[in-house]
Amino acid sequence: MNSDKTNRANLPAAILVFALLILWQMLAMGMDAAYILPTPIQVLQKLWELRGPLFTAHLPATMSVVAIGLIISIVLGMALAILMDASPVAEKALYPLVIASQTIPTTALAPLFVLWFGYSIWSKVLVTVLMTFFPVTITVFDGFRSVRTEMKELMFCMGADERQMFMKLKLPAVLPFFFSALKMAVPLSVIGAAIGEWLGAQSGLGYFSRRMMTQLDGAGVFAPILLLSVAAMLLTAVVTFLERRLVTWRNE
C-alpha cells in the first residue's frame, strides 16, 4: 500500500523529467552541434566511455571535498547557532557577519583560496564551507528561536537547569530544522566543490568538466555534471531517510 502511494506521488515528477529529456533531445538534434548541446543519449554514452577515470579518480576526489566541507560546516554552523542562542551579545556580534559572508561572490574568493593553499584539497573545502555553513547556522538558529516560551517556563517550574533545557527541549525541537538545513547544504556542498575544482584543481568532476570544455567536447562536459547531479540527489535521499527515522514526530 505504501509503495503504491509512493509510486503515485512520484509519477508527476517522472513524467516531467521524461518530457524535459524529450525536449532536450529534440533541441539538440535540431541544433546538430554536439560540442554546444549534446543529446542525452550522447551524454550517457560519454559517461559510459569515461567511467574508468570518472568513477575511480574524479568522483572520489569530489566526494572527499564534499564530505570534509559538510562536516566542517555542520560543526561550525551548529556552534554558531548555539552560541547566538545562548548569548544575545554573541547574536548581535555574529549574525551580521554571518549574513555578510554570503554577500561576497564565491567565484571571487575561490582563486584566492587557490593562491593561498595551492591545488590542495583545502582550497576546495573552503569554498564548500563558505557556501554551506550559512543555511546550517541560520536555520538551526531559527529552530532554537521557535521553541515556545511556555515550554521553557514549564521546564523551569519543574526544576530543569540549562543543560536539561537544552537536551530535553531545545535539541529535539531543533532536529527538524537541522535536517531541513542539511537538505539545503548537501546540494550546495556539491556545487561548492565543483566550483573550487573548476577554478583550480588537478582532479575532481569540476576539473574534468573544465578540461573537456577546452577540448570542445560537449558530451564530456555534461557527463561529470550529470554525475554531480546524481550524487547530490543520492546524498539528499540519505538525509531524508535519516530524517524519517530520527524525527518520527514531525508529521504528527
Side-chain angles (χ1 to χ4, degrees), residues 53 58 198 206-216 221:
H58 299 290
W198 183 279
Y207 159 80
F208 190 85
S209 179
R210 181 173 62 85
R211 195 178 77 181
M212 291 295 101
M213 187 180 68
T214 60
Q215 300 176 12
L216 297 180
V221 172

Side-chain angles (χ1 to χ4, degrees), residues 201-251:
Q202 294 177 324
S203 62
L205 295 175
Y207 159 80
F208 190 85
S209 179
R210 181 173 62 85
R211 195 178 77 181
M212 291 295 101
M213 187 180 68
T214 60
Q215 300 176 12
L216 297 180
D217 188 344
V221 172
F222 276 84
I225 294 174
L226 174 62
L227 203 52
L228 282 170
S229 179
V230 172
M233 288 189 289
L234 289 176
L235 289 174
T236 304
V238 171
V239 173
T240 303
F241 173 78
L242 292 175
E243 180 186 18
R244 289 174 179 171
R245 286 300 183 92
L246 297 176
V247 191
T248 56
W249 64 90
R250 184 165 195 171
N251 292 333

Side-chain angles (χ1 to χ4, degrees), residues 117-130:
F117 298 97
Y119 290 147
S120 70
I121 192 174
W122 296 109
S123 59
K124 277 73 75 178
V125 167
L126 281 176
V127 175
T128 304
V129 171
L130 184 64

Side-chain angles (χ1 to χ4, degrees), residues 16 30 50 55 61 63 68 98 103 111 120 140 200 217 225 228 231-232 239 249:
L16 179 59
L50 300 172
F55 284 94
M63 289 299 101
I68 297 173
V98 173
T103 63
S120 70
V140 172
D217 188 344
I225 294 174
L228 282 170
V239 173
W249 64 90

Side-chain angles (χ1 to χ4, degrees), residues 90-143:
E91 178 190 353
K92 292 178 181 178
L94 293 173
Y95 197 90
L97 294 178
V98 173
I99 299 297
S101 69
Q102 301 304 297
T103 63
I104 305 173
T106 306
T107 52
L109 288 179
L112 288 177
F113 294 155
V114 175
L115 182 64
W116 295 340
F117 298 97
Y119 290 147
S120 70
I121 192 174
W122 296 109
S123 59
K124 277 73 75 178
V125 167
L126 281 176
V127 175
T128 304
V129 171
L130 184 64
M131 294 186 65
T132 54
F133 90 97
F134 176 78
V136 176
T137 303
I138 298 302
T139 307
V140 172
F141 178 65
D142 287 342

